[in-house]
């Protein structure tokens, strides 16, 4: 694993563990959300799989933590195909969570296609913008 990916995964794990600890001890009521980028189709960008595993591993430690997974796609092309792709991306994360031992009853996954795009940055080209839309948002919420 490249050093940069290792450091990013380590920092992500530390942030996720801190958010989980704060939520468990009642200091945080809002969900902790992280975004994971996909390069094409259902393939996570390099380093993202390790960060995703770190976040989900933190969630697996407490049965009171529910995980919400929201898949997204770009806004160009066939809408039905984008919807299906966003569902597939959410399913990739759902399967990873289940593989780490998080019960299916604690998991909620949905694909939104291009229905909730991010704001395009000033000077950001269309290709870069569409690539940034290929993502999954994972939220951890402590059930009270």
């Amino acid at each position: 694993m490249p050093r940069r990916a290792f450091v990013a995964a380590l920092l992500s794990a530390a942030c996720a563990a801190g958010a989980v600890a704060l939520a468990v001890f009642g200091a945080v009521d809002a969900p902790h959300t992280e975004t994971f980028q996909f390069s094409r189709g259902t393939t996570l960008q390099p380093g993202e799989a390790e960060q995703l595993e770190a976040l989900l591993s933190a969630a697996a430690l407490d049965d009171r933590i529910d995980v919400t997974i929201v898949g997204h796609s770009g806004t160009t092309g066939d809408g039905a195909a984008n919807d299906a792709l966003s569902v597939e991306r959410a399913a990739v994360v759902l399967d990873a969570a289940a593989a780490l031992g998080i019960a299916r009853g604690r998991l909620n996954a949905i694909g939104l296609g291009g229905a909730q795009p991010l704001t395009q940055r000033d000077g950001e080209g269309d290709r870069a913008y569409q690539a940034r839309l290929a993502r999954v948002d994972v939220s951890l919420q402590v059930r009270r």
Side-chain angles (χ1 to χ4, degrees), residues 6-144:
F6 176 76
V7 170
L10 185 63
L11 289 173
S12 178
C15 289
V20 170
L22 286 173
V24 168
F25 295 114
V28 175
D29 288 329
H32 171 76
T33 302
E34 290 192 31
T35 299
F36 300 91
Q37 298 296 137
F38 283 76
S39 53
R40 291 196 74 147
T42 59
T43 304
L44 285 162
Q45 285 187 0
E48 295 287 273
E50 293 82 7
Q51 292 178 359
L52 175 63
E53 185 175 343
L55 178 68
L56 294 174
S57 293
L61 297 175
D62 188 338
D63 288 340
R64 298 177 302 152
I65 297 175
D66 290 331
V67 180
T68 301
I69 303 160
V70 182
H72 299 274
S73 69
T75 57
T76 61
D78 181 56
N82 286 341
D83 289 344
L85 180 57
S86 69
V87 168
E88 290 175 29
R89 287 179 176 149
V92 166
V93 176
L94 181 75
D95 292 343
L100 289 169
I102 301 174
R104 292 277 181 173
R106 295 174 44 209
L107 301 171
N108 181 33
I110 187 170
L112 296 178
Q116 290 185 355
L118 303 169
T119 302
Q120 190 166 1
R121 297 173 181 150
D122 289 339
E124 182 177 34
D126 286 339
R127 179 173 275 177
Y129 173 62
Q130 291 297 321
R132 197 164 51 89
L133 296 178
R135 68 196 192 281
V136 169
D137 298 322
V138 179
S139 298
L140 306 182
Q141 177 69 56
V142 175
R143 193 174 48 250
R144 301 260 176 211

